[in-house]
Amino acid sequence: MNKQDLIQKLSLVKHVEGGYFSETYRSCLTIDTAREGNQRNLITSIYYLLTKEQPIGYFNKNQSPILHYFHGGSPLTYLILSENGHLERVKLGFDVTKNQVPQLLVPENCWKATILESGEYGLLGEAVSPGFDYRDMSLATPDYFRSHFPQLWSELAPYVKS
Ligand code: GUN
């Protein structure tokens, strides 16, 4: 199996954040929220793939907490940045002896970037509740990061989509 097989067999398409994804589940139950447009599906799930050629999921945040599940390939590094500037680095993977975690929760309203540092590909799953809606998601901009996280800017700039 190679990354082309994964892209084809899992019907993955390019994501605006970088990498590839396909939605695997969207609950038909809906809930009322205080968000723009109010109604959201109860839960959604996706596959997400980074490859050597598309190695970065650029900084983005969501109003919902997002669970990440390692599925296979090479481990993936997460940069998780809270709005108060606290930066954490976590590796999603199976090798718990190397401090990797098979599951990772990124809390709501935390910025996250995902990086494939080596290897051909890394495949993961994400589940989010309330379910995914573009109105709940923000992609970081250089202007915002430069002004809100000036001390971190040089470290984070490669992972902010320009
Ligand atoms: N559509 C575009 N991005 C996403 C995502 O991250 N999750 C889901 N469920 N759908 C999407």
Side-chain angles (χ1 to χ4, degrees), residues 15 21 23 26 44 46 132 134:
H15 199 293
F21 83 109
E23 192 171 87
R26 180 169 287 269
T44 57
I46 59 168
F132 184 86
Y134 274 109

Side-chain angles (χ1 to χ4, degrees), residues 61 81-86 109-111 144-145 148-149:
K61 69 177 179 181
L81 176 68
S82 64
E83 204 49 67
N84 68 14
H86 178 73
N109 302 315
C110 272
W111 294 102
Y144 185 89
F145 262 44
H148 282 75
F149 309 114

Side-chain angles (χ1 to χ4, degrees), residues 47-147:
Y47 289 121
Y48 186 70
L49 177 78
L50 289 179
T51 65
K52 201 174 196 166
E53 297 72 27
Q54 286 275 318
I56 299 171
Y58 291 95
F59 269 108
N60 64 89
K61 69 177 179 181
N62 200 293
Q63 291 179 42
S64 304
I66 302 183
L67 279 159
H68 300 74
Y69 302 92
F70 187 70
H71 285 334
S74 300
L76 297 139
T77 301
Y78 278 78
L79 299 179
I80 302 169
L81 176 68
S82 64
E83 204 49 67
N84 68 14
H86 178 73
L87 179 65
E88 249 186 282
R89 216 172 261 271
V90 183
K91 220 157 203 190
L92 188 75
F94 286 140
D95 194 346
V96 294
T97 69
K98 291 188 180 152
N99 274 334
Q100 298 172 9
V101 296
Q103 287 190 13
L104 171 65
L105 176 69
V106 175
E108 61 270 38
N109 302 315
C110 272
W111 294 102
K112 72 162 179 194
T114 316
I115 306 149
L116 179 72
E117 293 183 293
S118 63
E120 287 300 315
Y121 70 85
L123 178 69
L124 59 103
E126 295 184 21
V128 54
S129 178
F132 184 86
D133 188 299
Y134 274 109
R135 290 170 291 188
D136 302 337
M137 180 253 205
S138 312
L139 199 55
T141 62
D143 278 355
Y144 185 89
F145 262 44
R146 217 185 276 114
S147 62

